[in-house]
């Protein structure tokens, strides 16, 4: 019953309250807020759950009480963030910038996300601020499109980067989603930026088991996945570095409701993660949940303690895990609202 009420209240609030009115956007003057209880939003896939747990635990450590609300659809959780039913969400810089840009200027708006993190963050903050949102500084972790080959294939052809693959002049069949043939960060970009000889796209999906097995078995030579894919080792696959920066700057960024969680105290608490969490760390945390079936709250408490961000007492359970509510049912990892830029179509993708 409590879950049903959470769903109804969220839907009702987002339907009628979506932040500053259109005539007031561009001149939001509300002072930064510092509410004692903060609601953290999660998009319902493993990585978002992990980030939400880390945010909640760091905020608990700073003296806040927290709860986690899972909303597996950006069309619902972003208006809830604007209205204040959600106070903090983990986002991805380039994807969220493009999503807000499409929401503001229409689906055909030219994308503002790019491989340039500075330019992407500037565009994102320009779009977020009039909506009463504050985008905090990004950290080191990034979840981008990535391309993997078998370790044996990489050794045979001396491959470490996508440039190496282009220079080798090999014929490459790519396991990916069928939309890869049109996405600028997938087949067209691999050909244009790296000169890779893509002979075809095998439509097995983005980072799916079937796609990875096709590369493992030699039926395909490369697979589209993400930089935080935790299962590559089990398939004998290795990533090739995107050394010419084809992919957009999808760095992890906390986004907060300014009037409720825009204080320096919140920013400082969440900022402690920036110098610690790496892309490799995030992949390993994903693996502990997806492969070892550990709970996200347990995984993140252990990680934060090991990094010196939580005390032994907190890890032992003095600080309880924040309660979690769900509205509506969570999406799967690959169906989450931040598909990689060359993978499934984004809400704001130009195609």
């Amino acid at each position: 019953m409590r879950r049903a009420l959470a769903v109804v209240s969220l839907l009702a609030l987002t339907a009628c309250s979506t932040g500053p009115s259109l005539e007031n956007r561009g001149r939001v003057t509300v002072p930064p807020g510092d509410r004692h209880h903060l609601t953290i939003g999660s998009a319902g896939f493993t990585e978002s759950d992990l980030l939400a747990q880390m945010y909640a635990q760091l905020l608990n450590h700073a003296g806040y009480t927290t709860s986690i609300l899972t909303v597996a659809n950006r069309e619902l959780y972003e208006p809830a963030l604007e209205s204040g039913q959600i106070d903090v969400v983990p986002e991805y810089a380039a994807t969220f910038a493009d999503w807000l840009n499409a929401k503001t200027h229409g689906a055909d708006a030219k994308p503002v996300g790019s491989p340039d993190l500075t330019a992407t963050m500037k565009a994102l903050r320009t779009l977020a601020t009039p909506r009463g949102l504050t985008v905090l500084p990004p950290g080191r972790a990034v979840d981008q499109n990535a391309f993997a080959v078998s370790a044996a294939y990489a050794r045979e052809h001396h491959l470490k980067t996508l440039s190496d693959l282009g220079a080798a002049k090999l014929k490459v069949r790519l396991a990916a989603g069928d939309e890869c043939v049109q996405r600028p960060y997938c087949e067209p970009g691999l050909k244009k930026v790296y000169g890779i000889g893509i002979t075809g796209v095998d439509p097995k999906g983005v980072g799916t088991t079937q796609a990875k097995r096709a590369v493992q078995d030699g039926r395909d030579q490369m697979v589209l996945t993400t930089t935080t894919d935790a299962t590559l080792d089990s398939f004998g696959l290795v990533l090739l570095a995107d050394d010419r920066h084809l992919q957009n700057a999808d760095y992890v960024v906390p986004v907060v409701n300014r009037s409720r969680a825009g204080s320096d105290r919140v920013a400082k608490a969440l900022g402690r993660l920036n110098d610690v969490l790496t892309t490799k760390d995030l992949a390993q945390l994903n693996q502990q949940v997806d492969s070892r079936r550990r709970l996200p709250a347990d995984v993140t408490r252990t990680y934060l303690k090991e990094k010196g961000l939580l005390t032994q007492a907190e890890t032992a359970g003095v600080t309880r895990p924040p309660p979690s509510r769900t509205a509506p049912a969570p999406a799967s990892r690959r169906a989450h609202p931040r598909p990689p830029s060359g993978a499934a179509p984004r809400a704001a993708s130009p195609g």
Side-chain angles (χ1 to χ4, degrees), residues 19-60:
S21 63
L22 287 172
E23 60 269 21
N24 289 332
R25 285 177 182 161
R27 51 189 179 91
V28 175
T29 57
V30 61
D34 193 29
R35 297 296 181 98
H36 177 69
H37 179 85
L38 298 175
T39 299
I40 318 300
S42 167
F45 58 95
T46 298
E47 188 169 295
S48 189
D49 289 343
L50 287 163
L51 290 166
Q53 287 288 347
M54 284 190 276
Y55 289 1
Q57 290 162 11
L58 289 170
L59 289 167
N60 288 344

Side-chain angles (χ1 to χ4, degrees), residues 214-226:
V215 176
Q216 182 183 38
D217 297 342
R219 288 173 282 139
D220 296 331
Q221 287 71 51
M222 188 162 67
V223 60
L224 170 63
T225 182
T226 66

Side-chain angles (χ1 to χ4, degrees), residues 215-337:
V215 176
Q216 182 183 38
D217 297 342
R219 288 173 282 139
D220 296 331
Q221 287 71 51
M222 188 162 67
V223 60
L224 170 63
T225 182
T226 66
T227 52
T228 58
D229 189 327
T231 67
L232 295 179
D233 285 348
S234 63
F235 291 92
L237 306 181
V238 294
L239 292 179
L240 297 182
D242 178 22
D243 53 310
R244 296 183 186 174
H245 306 292
L246 172 64
Q247 304 305 322
N248 276 349
D250 261 330
Y251 284 77
V252 175
V253 291
V255 183
V256 304
N257 178 291
R258 176 180 169 85
S259 67
R260 295 176 57 87
S263 69
D264 289 342
R265 187 166 157 239
V266 169
K268 182 178 180 181
L270 297 178
R272 297 176 68 214
L273 194 60
N274 283 0
D275 293 334
V276 173
L277 184 68
T278 66
T279 303
K280 182 178 180 180
D281 289 346
L282 199 49
Q284 291 173 343
L285 296 175
N286 283 330
Q287 183 181 40
Q288 291 185 54
V289 175
D290 291 337
S291 298
R292 302 180 190 176
R293 304 303 180 192
R294 295 185 62 195
L295 294 175
D298 294 338
V299 170
T300 55
R301 274 198 306 275
T302 300
Y303 174 79
L304 294 176
K305 188 265 179 180
E306 289 174 348
K307 298 297 182 179
L309 300 182
L310 291 183
T311 66
Q312 183 65 44
E314 288 167 321
T315 307
V318 173
T319 299
R320 295 174 179 263
S324 179
R325 296 173 288 155
T326 303
S332 68
R333 173 76 171 92
R334 282 296 107 215
H336 70 70

Side-chain angles (χ1 to χ4, degrees), residues 3-267:
R3 177 179 296 182
L5 289 173
V7 176
V8 171
S9 63
L10 177 65
L11 291 173
L13 186 55
T14 56
C16 64
S17 179
T18 56
S21 63
L22 287 172
E23 60 269 21
N24 289 332
R25 285 177 182 161
R27 51 189 179 91
V28 175
T29 57
V30 61
D34 193 29
R35 297 296 181 98
H36 177 69
H37 179 85
L38 298 175
T39 299
I40 318 300
S42 167
F45 58 95
T46 298
E47 188 169 295
S48 189
D49 289 343
L50 287 163
L51 290 166
Q53 287 288 347
M54 284 190 276
Y55 289 1
Q57 290 162 11
L58 289 170
L59 289 167
N60 288 344
H61 178 81
Y64 296 92
T65 61
T66 61
S67 58
I68 293 177
L69 180 64
T70 299
V71 186
N73 187 311
R74 188 178 278 116
E75 283 75 12
L76 288 177
Y77 76 66
E78 189 279 333
L81 181 63
E82 289 189 29
S83 68
Q85 187 160 353
I86 293 174
D87 302 306
V88 185
V89 295
E91 264 293 356
Y92 300 88
T95 295
F96 195 44
D98 283 342
W99 193 90
L100 285 180
N101 191 45
K103 182 176 181 179
T104 303
H105 300 295
D108 295 329
K110 184 179 178 180
V112 295
S114 75
D116 185 330
L117 177 59
T118 300
T120 295
M121 288 297 295
K122 181 179 179 181
L124 174 55
R125 286 172 169 147
T126 297
L127 291 159
T129 299
R131 295 180 176 276
L133 306 180
T134 296
V135 182
L136 300 182
R140 300 164 61 190
V142 58
D143 188 346
Q144 299 169 302
N145 279 352
F147 297 91
V149 299
S150 72
Y153 186 82
R155 285 194 301 270
E156 179 184 357
H157 300 288
H158 309 289
L159 307 177
K160 293 185 177 180
T161 67
L162 290 171
S163 289
D164 292 339
L165 182 57
K169 303 300 180 185
L170 298 167
K171 293 182 179 180
V172 176
R173 181 172 166 85
L174 175 63
D178 55 8
E179 69 282 344
C180 176
V181 298
Q182 296 179 334
R183 298 280 160 177
Y185 308 112
C186 201
E187 180 183 351
L190 291 171
K191 289 180 174 179
K192 180 178 179 180
V193 175
Y194 288 106
I196 296 174
I198 304 294
T199 60
V201 171
D202 186 4
K204 295 187 181 298
V206 181
T208 63
T209 296
Q210 293 86 348
K212 292 170 191 172
R213 282 179 178 163
V215 176
Q216 182 183 38
D217 297 342
R219 288 173 282 139
D220 296 331
Q221 287 71 51
M222 188 162 67
V223 60
L224 170 63
T225 182
T226 66
T227 52
T228 58
D229 189 327
T231 67
L232 295 179
D233 285 348
S234 63
F235 291 92
L237 306 181
V238 294
L239 292 179
L240 297 182
D242 178 22
D243 53 310
R244 296 183 186 174
H245 306 292
L246 172 64
Q247 304 305 322
N248 276 349
D250 261 330
Y251 284 77
V252 175
V253 291
V255 183
V256 304
N257 178 291
R258 176 180 169 85
S259 67
R260 295 176 57 87
S263 69
D264 289 342
R265 187 166 157 239
V266 169

